Amino acid sequence: SACPSGRYAPDAAAVMCSPCAPGTFAGRSGQLVCQVCPRDAFAPGHGEEQCQRCPDLTLTANDGAISPAECTQCVEGYFFQNISCRKCPLGLTTHTPSDTACSLLPEVLWIIIVGVVFFFISLAFAYRLHRFYKGRLALVEAKAADAVKVAEAVVQETVTRGLASIEDFGHPMVLIRANSLSSLTVDQLRGLHEGNRDAHRLLFVDTFAKF
């Protein structure tokens, strides 16, 4: 007759059946060989009809385990700690069942790499932009300084010519401040010279050195 489950005979004509070895099983009668337990199960004794499952999420290192003590590896996304598998935090994963710690997901790692590259590119662009505008500012400041020098030269030349005209004319030149002149009344304007002279608003210039 056919061998019962848990046992096997190498050929149908065999008189005696042999029990399956630990780590293997025969799930139905009449099997010629025993099947090896997969990596998420084990068979501890002889003549097992089925394999026992490893604790949740755990795996064995190889097929054909004979003890739950061999269930020390974890499915992807979990790592083994204190005889059980723990889920990796968000953004982390495991790459092999034997990992005892989590590492960055490839997608997260690429995001970080792209972010770092973009940061340094932006930094370089900002530095070049800063140098460009700094150079433009220096150019504007230089042009402004040149304009001031030209204006000062024009004023100096005008004053010098005025003084030269005074010297050629042979009479002193009388100056009054613009704000003082604008504040004069009509009567004061009529007595412009004498009134302002008495109020000490006039400045007499007769030589270049005195000016």
Side-chain angles (χ1 to χ4, degrees):
S1 62
C3 295
S5 57
R7 292 175 175 269
Y8 75 100
D11 61 71
V15 177
M16 296 186 60
C17 297
S18 301
C20 291
T24 64
F25 72 101
R28 63 180 185 275
S29 61
Q31 290 194 203
L32 301 180
V33 293
C34 296
Q35 296 174 282
V36 178
C37 292
R39 286 190 58 192
D40 60 349
F42 62 92
H46 293 82
E48 296 285 356
E49 297 181 7
Q50 62 182 10
C51 299
Q52 300 180 39
R53 305 286 295 185
C54 285
D56 288 346
L57 306 173
T58 59
L59 302 170
T60 59
N62 301 291
D63 294 337
I66 63 173
S67 167
E70 296 182 61
C71 302
T72 57
Q73 298 189 357
C74 302
V75 298
E76 184 178 358
Y78 290 79
F79 66 101
F80 194 80
Q81 186 181 65
N82 298 331
I83 71 171
S84 64
C85 290
R86 297 179 180 272
K87 185 174 178 60
C88 292
L90 183 65
L92 302 179
T93 189
T94 53
H95 300 287
T96 63
S98 60
D99 286 350
T100 56
C102 301
S103 56
L104 286 173
L105 283 164
E107 306 87 61
V108 175
L109 183 60
W110 273 109
I111 290 173
I112 292 174
I113 292 173
V114 171
V116 170
V117 171
F118 180 76
F119 170 77
F120 282 106
I121 290 175
S122 301
L123 191 64
F125 177 76
Y127 175 72
R128 290 177 64 87
L129 193 63
H130 168 71
R131 292 197 61 182
F132 171 76
Y133 280 108
K134 186 177 180 181
R136 293 296 298 271
L137 180 61
L139 182 61
V140 170
E141 289 176 345
K143 288 184 177 180
D146 291 341
V148 170
K149 290 180 181 179
V150 170
E152 289 176 346
V154 171
V155 171
Q156 181 64 39
E157 183 181 359
T158 303
V159 172
T160 302
R161 288 180 179 177
L163 290 175
S165 298
I166 293 172
E167 291 178 354
D168 293 341
F169 188 63
H171 294 279
M173 179 172 68
V174 181
L175 304 178
I176 184 171
R177 294 182 180 275
N179 59 351
S180 297
L181 180 63
S182 63
S183 64
L184 296 179
T185 64
V186 174
D187 292 338
Q188 288 174 326
L189 285 172
R190 288 174 180 169
L192 183 61
H193 185 272
E194 291 76 6
N196 284 283
R197 178 196 61 195
D198 297 339
H200 305 290
R201 292 175 176 170
L202 301 181
L203 174 65
F204 289 84
V205 180
D206 56 1
T207 66
F208 180 77
K210 183 177 179 180
F211 181 78

